[in-house]
Amino acid sequence: MEETLQGKHAVVTGAGKGIGRAAALALARCGAKVTAVTRTQADLDSLVQECPAIAPVCVDLADWAATEAALRDVGPAHLLVNNAACASLQPFLEVTEEQFDRAFSVNVKAVLHVSQIVARGMKERKHGGSIVNVSSQASQCALRDHAVYCATKGAVDMLTKVMALELGPHQIRVNAVNPTVVLTDMGRVGWSDPEKARTMTSRIPLGRFAEVEEVVNSILFLLSDKSSMISGVTLPVDGGFLAC
Ligand code: NDP
């Protein structure tokens, strides 16, 4: 996608690996100033080596106070990608309190908190903005062993809609992308077994998993002015999975 984001500042969470890292690099290629937030310093070091213009912020987003402190000085942002998430899979009857709390802290609470920090600035400066939450097809379809993950992504979809409702009057658009499986580190945890992968791809009309770039392109579209009248949507990037 040829889109210039010159003069825009984008914050991307979970930018150390996978979709977040690719989104940070793509935003920088589009001319945006990029702040990359993640919790593993080595990932930030290699990211900055690859693209020296990217500003790194190292923080565990599950820590509310540390997040507040880490993001205090990132400056005015026009664009936000809430991408960081964790996925630990277990049968429903074996889910522990610790697994539940960890997943909700990162996948939901941090989305709310980082969005509050960034959107308050957008509102104060009255320049509007665009926020994209990275949800999942798992928000709308039950997947075995994904009880907690599915619940967090269902919460992200609803949070996206309420944020769109309340932030819209400040010209802040809020949308979600809902990808099918992408074979990143996270995707490989659940879907590297060929038999399991086949059961999923057989339910996807396009017959394959998504590529990282296909998710990033959808994020770029929703961040950009090309989607200037779109807010509150949960956009499947799933080859048709959720349509069936
Ligand atoms: P990866 O596991 O490859 O990357 C996730 C990134 O988020 C890592 O850099 C990770 O850092 C960071 N992160 C995780 N927890 C925290 C935290 N507490 N604080 C700061 N950073 C954190 O995941 P993907 O790229 O696959 O996933 C990106 C998004 O896409 C997620 O929201 C995921 O739910 C969603 N998604 C993924 C799908 C898939 O099949 N891959 C399908 C549908 C949606 P570290 O490695 O240091 O923990």
Side-chain angles (χ1 to χ4, degrees):
M1 177 184 294
E2 290 303 316
E3 177 65 28
T4 176
L5 296 172
Q6 214 79 39
K8 303 278 176 147
H9 176 201
V11 176
V12 182
T13 71
K17 300 185 176 78
I19 293 165
R21 186 183 181 99
L25 290 166
L27 282 159
R29 280 196 301 275
C30 290
K33 177 188 162 203
V34 176
T35 297
V37 184
T38 195
R39 64 173 177 169
T40 300
Q41 186 61 49
D43 289 338
L44 288 170
D45 292 344
S46 67
L47 182 63
V48 170
Q49 205 164 17
E50 196 174 343
C51 182
I54 291 180
V57 173
C58 193
V59 67
D60 181 347
L61 292 163
D63 184 333
W64 185 280
T67 299
E68 191 94 36
L71 296 184
R72 193 173 295 139
D73 298 325
V74 299
H78 310 83
L79 310 172
L80 169 63
V81 185
N82 283 306
N83 163 82
C86 57
S88 81
L89 308 186
Q90 57 285 123
F92 170 72
L93 291 175
E94 293 170 22
V95 174
T96 65
E97 182 184 17
E98 198 259 328
Q99 286 160 342
F100 182 93
D101 288 344
R102 177 80 198 165
F104 269 84
S105 287
V106 181
N107 299 13
V108 185
K109 198 160 84 171
V111 173
L112 178 141
H113 189 208
V114 174
S115 299
Q116 284 180 329
I117 294 169
V118 170
R120 281 187 190 121
M122 290 170 174
K123 180 186 165 191
E124 272 164 31
R125 286 182 301 280
K126 300 184 193 305
H127 57 48
S130 178
I131 297 174
V132 175
N133 298 328
V134 182
S135 182
S136 169
Q137 67 181 11
S139 70
Q140 294 166 44
C141 179
L143 301 174
R144 189 169 299 280
D145 297 336
H146 284 67
V148 175
Y149 184 77
C150 284
T152 64
K153 294 302 187 179
V156 167
D157 282 7
M158 210 55 225
L159 187 59
T160 300
K161 293 179 191 195
V162 179
M163 286 168 61
L165 174 67
E166 294 195 19
L167 299 177
H170 306 293
Q171 302 310 309
I172 301 167
R173 297 186 297 108
V174 187
N175 293 290
V177 292
N178 298 58
T180 185
V181 177
V182 186
L183 288 176
T184 58
D185 285 1
M186 182 188 288
R188 278 187 285 272
V189 170
W191 305 100
S192 48
D193 169 43
E195 196 45 51
K196 215 174 152 192
R198 249 192 311 279
T199 61
M200 175 55 76
T201 51
S202 68
R203 296 170 63 192
I204 300 173
L206 291 185
R208 62 175 177 85
F209 292 154
E211 299 295 330
V212 168
E213 289 309 322
E214 292 173 316
V215 181
V216 170
N217 284 339
S218 306
I219 294 171
L220 290 180
F221 167 66
L222 290 172
L223 289 176
S224 79
D225 289 343
K226 290 196 190 302
S227 61
S228 53
M229 195 54 184
I230 299 178
S231 196
V233 305
T234 51
L235 177 67
V237 186
D238 67 348
F241 176 84
L242 288 173
C244 310

